[in-house]
Every structure is written in structure tokens, then in C-alpha cells.
Amino acid sequence: MILEEGKSFEKEELVQELMELVFEKAEKESKKKPIHGLAKYLSIKLMENFQFSIDINTFTRYYKGYILNEGGKQSPTDDILNTLCKYLGHKDFKDFETKIECEIVKKSLRKEISDQEEKYRKMVSICLVVGVLLLGTLSFFISKYYKKNCMIWVDDHYEKIRCSGLENERKLDEMVLLKMKEIKRPLQCEREMWYDKTDNEVTFFTYRGEHPVNGKELKPVTEHICEKYILEPRDSILSNTNLDTIR
């Protein structure tokens, strides 16, 4: 029997608890389960340890009444109750009653603590789940709205920017970002050069693809383009420089 928390403890309930504990201890010590064996063991044990005589038939009636619920429950005398309590390690029945009440209070406190811990664990679990969801949402928001996923042409090169719909804004291409540069006033032709000619103005670049401003497809520099727009202007500049020096 488990005494319920908050319930007034009648003597009958305490006796029931006492009997259950006595026979439980006797069964563990004697390794016996038949009624007669337990009754005989207890009768001998109480006589040896406490010089108190309780016959086998009395213990048999206690077992049938309090453990098996067969027939009526014979109420033990105060002396028997005190001796049985001593067998369990208590001073007397009053001491047993006090400790049982304390044990129930302890059980109640342990249960309350356990319930609070369970609530705390659930709250922590919920907070962790919510935190992960919020972190995921925040990461998505940052990735979508604040990460520099676009690039724009600035003077002679591309720079990373946050996508915002600016004119000449392009989706980020790491290779183009790294390699695309405008070559201003080239003095020689490189193996890999591209150009664009718009309104009779020729511009040169270090990487293929689209013109950063007008969007036209860049063309590879040919020998003709190299000669006409790179070498000849260069030679002309050098020649003029030499004439100025002579003068």
C-alpha cells in the first residue's frame, strides 16, 4: 500500500503499511515465499532478536488479512506493533509513524522537484527548437537581403554589392569579379585580350564575356585590332615624344 499525500494517516492505514514492509523484509531475508515459511521465520527472528513471542498462526493470520486480503484483519496489540517496528529498525510504532510521514513528505518533495525538472527540460527543449528556427530564419534573411550576391562595375573593375536593383547591377560571378578588368591605354597586345567598339571608341578588357556597361558581347583582340588600336597609337605617341625631346 502507498499512503497518499495530504491524507490523514489513520492507524489502520499505518498498520497496513507496517505489515507490508515487515513481510517484504522477511521475504528478502529468508528467501521464502510460502505463508507458513515466512510466519515461522518471523516468529523465530523476533524471539531471537527481541525476546518477544508471536506464534506462527498469528503471523499467518496477519499475512492473509493484510497481504492477501483474505478474511478480516486482526488488529495487533501495541506491544506487537512496537516489536514489528523494531524489526524494521524503528524505536517503536510512534517513531515508525513519524518517519513514514516524513518519508511521504520527502517523496512529495522529490516528485515536485522531478516535475519541475521535467518542465524545465521541456522548456529548454522548446527554447532550443525555437532558437534553431529563429536562427535559420535569420540566416535566410541575412543571406537573402544582406549577403553581397551581386556586383557592379566601378571605374575599371567589378565590386561586390548587396543586390538592390541598381542599374548595371549583375548577379555575382566570382570568376568575372576576379578576372574582368579594363585595360586603359594598352602598350602591347596580350594573348588573352577582349575588346568592344562602340561609337568609334575601342575599350579593352582582360576577360571575356559581356561589356560591363553596355552589355555587348566582347570580342577577342585580332592582329588587325591590335595593330590599329594598340600598336599604331603607341608608336605615334612614342614618335611624338621623341620629336619633342629633339626640339
Side-chain angles (χ1 to χ4, degrees), residues 62-104:
Y62 288 159
Y63 191 90
K64 287 182 178 180
Y66 288 98
I67 306 304
L68 300 180
N69 292 318
E70 294 180 359
K73 296 179 179 180
Q74 179 180 332
S75 299
T77 65
D78 289 343
D79 289 338
I80 290 176
L81 289 175
N82 289 333
T83 304
L84 292 177
C85 288
K86 289 178 181 177
Y87 172 66
L88 293 177
H90 304 285
K91 293 179 181 179
D92 49 30
F93 186 73
K94 186 66 177 177
D95 182 50
F96 170 77
E97 180 181 4
T98 302
K99 290 180 178 178
I100 282 294
E101 290 177 350
C102 290
E103 186 61 30
I104 289 185

Side-chain angles (χ1 to χ4, degrees), residues 160-198:
K160 280 186 180 181
I161 62 168
R162 179 171 61 87
C163 299
S164 57
L166 294 174
E167 188 178 359
N168 296 329
E169 178 182 279
R170 290 185 55 183
K171 186 176 180 180
L172 180 64
D173 185 321
E174 293 289 353
M175 188 64 70
V176 174
L177 177 73
L178 179 65
K179 292 190 173 185
M180 175 70 80
K181 302 288 187 298
E182 182 181 346
I183 307 172
K184 296 184 177 182
R185 296 183 180 180
L187 298 178
Q188 62 183 19
C189 299
E190 300 291 343
R191 178 177 298 179
E192 292 192 358
M193 289 180 67
W194 286 263
Y195 77 100
D196 170 70
K197 185 178 181 181
T198 301

Side-chain angles (χ1 to χ4, degrees), residues 108-120:
S108 174
L109 288 175
R110 284 195 292 267
K111 184 176 184 303
E112 185 176 347
I113 291 172
S114 177
D115 291 344
Q116 291 298 326
E117 288 177 346
E118 182 63 25
K119 288 180 181 178
Y120 176 75

